[in-house]
């Protein structure tokens, strides 16, 4: 409806609030020309295909080097993925074959082959890989542009401050965004791990994705608000809404600025309880961001990322290089390497676990996978230990349900140590070995597990899914995925008590640990360490530094006395609002003003 304020909820992927005029990007679907080729001209047509591909490669290389200077090697590397797709000999051979047998023009044949690849991405279970579909789409568009002689321009039109609204953003679109003009981003499609999301975060541009049909409700130059904290977009806001968001925006900016001043301070409560506040990472390059946000070490290195973004097993030397790089960058603080947690929704066809099972989350996953593929575990343990000579390393095993798994993995670790001693290789003999507490079974026997491990890290993402019997990736039942369920609070408290009774430290590395709304409660439940996305560190640190441990314990005690998730959430939100009225993210959770 014309002029009416509407608000749409999506997925918050990059925090902050932006207010401005919409720049609606129309989908730039390019139609591939479709003409027939005379039989005697087939070889010429194939040559034309190769010239088109080569021209595209040149343009990509040019964009790459231009951007590497502007935004750094790391992000420019997105174009390497594009170049790799263009090197796909199978796709090129299939295109040639189509030209030869069907006598169709190069663009049409290429479009058909790449279209099949794109379709096959839609059936992939793994969300990271599925989102790489955008890279292939991007390459398709570029090749078709190159062959039709047109330049694949992106967002040249944005020359004044705007909020970019699009159906979806390809990785190279996002890389091309001019930060001077793009105040915020809102897209119909996309998920948390899409490149658009990752890059928007790294640019500090507030962004909300997964807004479904937003583009249908927004017209060019409409006023629009992006709330990247709560995942809300307001189109054509009324006076009252705009002014409350303006205030929220101002508070957010002040909060961010004030929080960065805490970077070099410890996460310590007003009465002296110290919490190790560390970062969750997935590749060595993440160290820089973690340190810039004031992380005290790495509390969870998800090693599977490296395995999922390739199609063969990485060897020992390759792994040592990866692990040593981050260990050196983070030293003298520790890096906790989690052994490969493959299976569940993390599926790589060359490893076999996951996808084909009826219940992959209850299947061949984590430690179960590793103990049947000891070759993989052995190589990884050797690499962890060898990296330990370069700084401070801790090792953690995922998906533990029983003591046998702990003994079997620690036994293998001892064997590997013997081997390394025999080879006279250096490693830290005192490497701490811990486990993820992410199954209800592990909590139930936490006292037994604590006797044979050096630390616990609660994986709340899985602990919630296994306790409440709610598939964490099933959107249809996501309303049942409830971190504040009394059962979850009890499991956290039981784990902490069992760990402390046996003098080991207890941390948490699941997503709820990074939600500022829950910080006081989690401190009150007695956690010693909290490991979260680097971006959330300043806010969580500020909260920890603004409370007493006594206050936090009182909140936890009251919460533990309540019977339903609703009651607990209401209590926690009211305490947080009272104590941290300036807490923008928590405010925004209340919904659109
Ligand atoms: C968890 O389960 O909370 C966790 C941190 O591990 P992942 O999200 O990788 O399963
Ligand atoms: Mg887990």
């Amino acid at each position: 409806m014309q002029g009416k304020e509407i608000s749409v909820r999506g997925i918050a992927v990059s925090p902050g609030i932006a207010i401005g005029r919409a720049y609606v990007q129309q989908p730039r679907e390019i139609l591939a020309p479709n003409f027939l080729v005379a039989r005697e001209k087939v070889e010429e047509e194939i040559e034309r295909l190769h010239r088109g591909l080569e021209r595209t490669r040149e343009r990509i290389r040019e964009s790459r080097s231009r951007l590497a200077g502007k935004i750094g090697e790391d992000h420019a590397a997105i174009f390497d993925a594009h170049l790799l797709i263009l090197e796909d000999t199978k796709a090129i051979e299939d295109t040639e074959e189509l030209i030869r047998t069907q006598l169709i023009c190069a663009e049409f044949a290429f479009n058909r082959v790449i279209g099949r690849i794109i379709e096959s991405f839609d059936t992939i279970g793994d969300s990271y890989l599925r989102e790489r579909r955008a890279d292939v789409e991007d390459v398709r568009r570029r090749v078709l542009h190159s062959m039709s002689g047109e330049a694949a321009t992106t967002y040249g039109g944005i020359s004044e401050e705007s909020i970019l609204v699009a159906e979806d953003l390809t990785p190279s679109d996002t890389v091309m965004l001019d930060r001077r003009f793009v105040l915020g981003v809102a897209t119909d499609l996309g998920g948390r791990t899409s490149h658009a999301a990752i890059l928007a975060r790294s640019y500090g541009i507030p962004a909300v994705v997964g807004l479904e049909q937003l583009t249908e409700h927004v017209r060019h130059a409409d006023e629009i608000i992006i709330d990247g904290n709560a995942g809300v977009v307001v189109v054509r806001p009324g006076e009252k809404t705009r002014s409350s968001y303006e205030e929220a925006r101002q508070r957010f900016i002040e909060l961010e600025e004030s929080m960065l001043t805490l970077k070099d301070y410890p996460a310590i409560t007003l009465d002296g309880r110290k919490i190790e506040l560390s970062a969750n990472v997935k590749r060595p390059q993440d160290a820089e961001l973690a340190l810039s946000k004031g992380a005290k070490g790495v509390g969870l290195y998800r090693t599977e990322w490296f395995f999922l973004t390739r199609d063969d097993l990485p060897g020992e030397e390759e792994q040592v290089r990866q692990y040593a790089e981050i260990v050196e960058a983070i030293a003298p603080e520790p890096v906790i390497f989690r052994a490969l947690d493959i299976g569940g929704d993390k599926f790589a066809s060359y490893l076999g676990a996951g996808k084909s099972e009826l219940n992959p989350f209850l299947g061949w996953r984590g430690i179960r996978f590793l103990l049947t593929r000891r070759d993989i575990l052995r190589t990884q343990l050797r690499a962890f230990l060898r990296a330990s000579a370069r700084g401070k390393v801790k090792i953690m095993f995922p998906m533990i349900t029983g003591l046998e798994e702990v003994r079997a993995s620690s036994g293998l670790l001892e064997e590997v140590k013997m081997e390394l001693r025999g080879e006279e290789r250096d490693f830290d003999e005192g490497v701490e070995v811990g486990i993820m507490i992410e199954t209800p079974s592990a909590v139930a026997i936490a006292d037994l597990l604590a006797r044979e491990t050096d630390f616990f890290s609660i994986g709340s993402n899985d602990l919630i899914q296994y306790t409440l019997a709610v598939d964490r990736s099933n959107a249809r039942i996501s309303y049942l995925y409830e971190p504040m369920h009394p059962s979850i609070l009890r499991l956290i408290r039981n784990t902490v008590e069992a760990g402390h009774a046996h003098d080991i430290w207890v941390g948490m590395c699941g997503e709820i640990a990074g939600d500022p709304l829950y910080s006081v409660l989690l401190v009150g439940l007695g956690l010693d360490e909290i490991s979260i996305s680097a971006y959330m560190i300043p806010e969580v640190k500020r909260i920890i530094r603004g409370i007493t441990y006594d206050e936090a314990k009182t909140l936890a005690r009251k919460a533990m006395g309540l019977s339903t998730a609703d009651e607990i959430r209401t209590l926690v939100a009211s305490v947080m609002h009272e104590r941290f009225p300036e807490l923008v993210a928590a405010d925004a959770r209340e919904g659109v003003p």
Side-chain angles (χ1 to χ4, degrees):
M1 253 188 291
Q2 281 263 322
K4 190 165 180 290
E5 170 179 318
I6 55 165
S7 77
V8 185
R9 198 167 274 275
I11 304 168
V13 292
S14 183
I17 291 170
I19 305 173
R21 297 272 158 201
Y23 181 99
V24 184
Q25 175 67 45
Q26 300 304 333
R28 292 142 301 153
E29 192 51 41
I30 313 153
L31 293 177
N34 177 10
F35 55 86
L36 289 178
V37 180
R39 195 169 293 281
E40 63 278 14
K41 299 266 187 192
V42 158
E43 291 313 313
E44 249 177 62
E45 190 62 10
I46 289 176
E47 265 176 42
R48 201 169 70 78
L49 167 75
H50 284 280
R51 279 200 305 278
L53 293 174
E54 190 43 39
R55 214 166 29 242
T56 316
R57 287 186 200 109
E58 271 164 28
R59 283 185 180 159
I60 294 177
R61 282 188 213 110
E62 273 168 32
S63 305
R64 192 195 187 291
S65 59
R66 219 175 40 240
L67 277 156
K70 250 167 79 184
I71 61 166
E73 268 297 313
D74 199 15
H75 296 314
I78 280 174
F79 291 111
D80 294 340
H82 291 189
L83 288 170
L84 268 180
I85 296 165
L86 281 169
E87 304 295 337
D88 182 341
T89 39
K90 172 88 172 71
I92 297 170
E93 279 167 17
D94 287 354
T95 309
E96 290 178 3
E97 174 79 9
L98 274 183
I99 300 174
R100 279 203 185 91
T101 55
Q102 315 238 339
L103 303 178
I104 52 178
C105 69
E107 291 95 331
F108 198 61
F110 180 77
N111 195 39
R112 208 191 266 178
V113 170
I114 213 90
R116 271 188 231 136
I117 299 178
I118 289 168
E119 271 171 32
S120 69
F121 268 81
D122 292 336
T123 61
I124 295 175
D126 176 76
S127 66
Y128 174 76
L129 292 179
R130 200 171 49 232
E131 280 160 11
R132 299 290 73 77
R133 176 190 196 280
D135 289 312
V136 186
E137 278 278 15
D138 215 353
V139 168
R140 182 177 76 103
R141 192 167 52 85
R142 284 171 171 278
V143 170
L144 294 180
H145 270 302
S146 287
M147 296 197 71
S148 65
E150 229 183 290
T153 50
T154 49
Y155 306 112
I158 302 192
S159 55
E160 53 187 44
E161 290 190 344
S162 316
I163 306 270
L164 179 60
V165 178
E167 188 185 27
D168 198 7
L169 292 181
T170 66
S172 60
D173 287 339
T174 321
V175 163
M176 295 287 185
L177 296 183
D178 189 332
R179 268 176 286 179
R180 282 173 309 163
F181 300 133
V182 180
L183 303 177
V185 170
T187 62
D188 290 349
L189 304 175
R192 262 175 240 285
T193 57
S194 63
H195 263 304
I198 296 167
L199 287 166
R201 268 199 300 276
S202 72
Y203 284 170
I205 299 175
V208 181
V209 302
L211 289 150
E212 299 186 349
Q213 279 131 26
L214 180 76
T215 44
E216 287 176 18
H217 301 290
V218 187
R219 290 177 312 262
H220 212 59
D222 269 350
E223 187 168 38
I224 183 167
I225 297 171
I226 307 284
D227 182 345
N229 303 321
V232 170
V233 168
V234 186
V235 185
R236 297 178 291 274
E239 193 47 49
K240 196 161 154 257
T241 308
R242 185 190 313 106
S243 66
S244 61
Y245 267 112
E246 262 157 11
E247 279 167 28
R249 182 169 157 270
Q250 200 45 43
R251 282 202 306 273
F252 186 81
I253 293 169
E254 284 163 15
L255 191 66
E256 290 266 285
E257 280 166 6
S258 71
M259 283 187 307
L260 271 184
T261 59
L262 299 177
K263 179 176 156 289
D264 298 320
Y265 290 88
I268 189 165
T269 62
L270 294 168
D271 49 355
R273 165 117 176 120
K274 194 159 173 235
I275 306 292
E276 299 297 331
L277 194 52
S278 46
N280 291 350
V281 304
K282 56 185 178 312
R283 33 175 223 162
Q285 299 92 304
D286 296 340
E288 199 184 319
L289 179 72
L291 293 172
S292 76
K293 296 286 179 189
K296 192 93 169 21
V298 165
L300 170 64
Y301 187 109
R302 287 185 162 99
T303 58
E304 49 279 4
W305 185 264
F306 186 44
F307 287 68
L308 287 176
T309 49
R310 49 189 293 139
D311 48 25
D312 56 353
L313 270 176
E316 181 175 326
E317 296 305 322
E318 223 178 327
Q319 289 190 55
V320 173
R321 276 198 298 280
Q322 282 268 323
Y323 306 149
E325 189 181 333
I326 190 148
V327 169
E328 284 176 357
I330 297 290
E333 299 304 333
V335 177
I336 303 184
F337 287 108
R338 179 173 72 183
L340 192 62
D341 183 24
I342 214 80
D345 60 343
K346 296 178 211 155
F347 166 76
S349 54
Y350 74 95
L351 290 170
K355 203 179 167 198
S356 59
E357 300 178 354
L358 203 53
N359 287 307
F361 276 120
L362 301 181
W364 197 35
R365 180 186 177 190
I367 198 67
R368 303 164 179 188
F369 173 86
L370 292 171
L371 290 176
T372 45
R373 285 297 308 267
R374 286 175 187 240
D375 54 324
I376 296 178
L377 180 56
R378 180 181 288 274
T379 307
Q380 202 175 31
L381 292 177
R382 282 181 61 95
F384 291 158
L385 285 172
R386 287 178 58 191
S388 75
R390 317 275 277 271
K392 186 87 190 136
V393 165
K394 300 182 187 186
I395 298 173
M396 175 157 78
F397 294 108
M399 183 74 185
I400 297 290
T401 54
L403 206 46
E404 301 86 341
E405 290 157 340
V406 175
R407 288 181 181 159
S409 17
S410 306
L412 190 62
L413 185 67
E414 286 312 312
E415 275 177 36
V416 168
K417 285 184 180 174
M418 291 265 284
E419 265 170 32
L420 293 178
R421 282 183 208 115
E423 295 166 23
E424 297 188 357
R425 286 192 191 272
D426 287 339
F427 65 91
D428 175 5
E429 289 277 357
V431 160
E432 280 185 32
V433 181
I435 57 171
M436 298 277 298
I437 298 287
E438 49 186 352
T439 65
S441 169
V443 181
I445 57 162
D447 56 328
L448 306 176
L449 297 168
R451 289 193 195 127
E452 302 191 27
T453 45
D454 298 319
F455 64 89
F456 286 160
S457 183
I458 300 174
S460 56
N461 303 341
D462 279 313
L463 187 60
I464 296 170
Q465 105 161 325
Y466 292 131
T467 304
L468 301 178
V470 176
D471 178 342
R472 67 193 251 193
S473 51
N474 185 338
R476 192 176 293 172
I477 47 165
S478 63
Y479 67 98
L480 293 172
Y481 191 90
E482 178 49 82
M484 291 295 102
H485 196 288
S487 63
I488 304 301
L489 264 46
R490 288 176 190 210
L491 294 184
I492 297 172
R493 193 198 50 185
N494 292 354
T495 306
V496 170
E497 283 178 354
H500 288 177
H502 291 86
D503 291 328
I504 66 169
W505 63 263
V506 181
M508 178 181 279
C509 58
E511 291 304 304
I512 59 169
D515 191 329
L517 196 59
Y518 306 139
S519 303
V520 177
L521 177 67
L522 294 176
V523 169
L525 286 169
L527 290 175
D528 304 289
E529 183 241 28
I530 287 179
S531 188
I532 55 183
S533 144
Y535 283 95
M536 297 319 298
I537 288 176
E539 200 167 342
V540 170
K541 188 188 279 186
R542 181 191 152 98
I543 292 169
I544 294 173
R545 290 180 61 87
I547 48 153
T548 62
Y549 189 34
D550 266 350
E551 252 180 293
K553 281 192 290 193
T554 304
L555 174 62
R557 202 167 39 246
K558 283 189 187 156
M560 293 293 301
L562 298 174
S563 323
T564 68
D566 271 351
E567 290 166 13
I568 298 172
R569 225 178 313 100
T570 307
L571 169 74
V572 172
S574 75
V575 169
M576 293 306 283
H577 281 168
E578 198 189 311
R579 289 291 282 103
F580 299 93
E582 75 287 17
L583 194 80
V584 177
D587 272 351
R589 247 173 228 102
E590 291 284 279
V592 183

